[in-house]
Amino acid sequence: MKKLSFALLLVVSLTLAACGEEKATPAPTTNNGAATSAPSTGGGSSAITIDAADGGTLAYKTTAVEAAAGEVTVTFNNPGALAHNVVIVKAGDEQPAVDASMASAPDFLPPADKSLGHSKTIATGASDTFTVSLQPGTYSFICTYPAHYTAGMKGTLTVK
């Protein structure tokens, strides 16, 4: 377990070091060892990582992440076999975002007035990063690709 934690810390540290000069604190982990968030030492900003589940599963590896209020950099990784995205919405606005995304095939991303921010829709092995400004509160992250949200591809983002 110590080797896995050290390896995860090393990967997160190297990834954040490649993105800039800021030092970061170690990322909290879920029970399965997946990184959930990595707060930065910069004022009013943080970084989180959301991963799609492996294989053809319509799920994220973790369903709860935390971030500091302000600018939040979201990195979305898709190791899964299907195309996915991650869309940040206010709690309760999930279905309107999904409904609005149907008009933007083949990416299935909601318009700006239906989400707070989103990744690109990406295929197997790809990653995308975006930044969103968030106030303290509870938000949802969802996949708006057809039928993915309905099948359970969603999670909660708590901003403190």
Side-chain angles (χ1 to χ4, degrees), residues 45-66:
S45 66
S46 61
I48 60 172
T49 299
I50 300 172
D51 296 327
D54 297 330
T57 306
L58 299 180
Y60 294 109
K61 283 187 180 178
T62 186
T63 58
V65 293
E66 290 185 0

Side-chain angles (χ1 to χ4, degrees), residues 45-46 70-75 88 116-118 129-134:
S45 66
S46 61
E71 294 297 311
V72 179
T73 301
V74 180
T75 299
I88 308 294
L116 301 171
H118 59 77
T129 300
F130 64 97
T131 301
V132 60
S133 182
L134 298 172

Side-chain angles (χ1 to χ4, degrees), residues 39-138:
S40 127
T41 57
S45 66
S46 61
I48 60 172
T49 299
I50 300 172
D51 296 327
D54 297 330
T57 306
L58 299 180
Y60 294 109
K61 283 187 180 178
T62 186
T63 58
V65 293
E66 290 185 0
E71 294 297 311
V72 179
T73 301
V74 180
T75 299
F76 175 54
N77 301 306
N78 184 9
L82 304 172
H84 295 297
N85 60 45
V86 64
V87 177
I88 308 294
V89 297
K90 292 178 184 175
D93 287 349
E94 298 87 353
Q95 195 60 53
V98 170
D99 294 344
S101 71
M102 294 304 118
S104 69
D107 292 323
F108 300 100
L109 293 169
D113 67 333
K114 298 294 181 187
S115 76
L116 301 171
H118 59 77
S119 70
K120 296 176 185 173
T121 298
I122 55 177
T124 302
S127 294
D128 189 37
T129 300
F130 64 97
T131 301
V132 60
S133 182
L134 298 172
Q135 298 295 319
T138 302

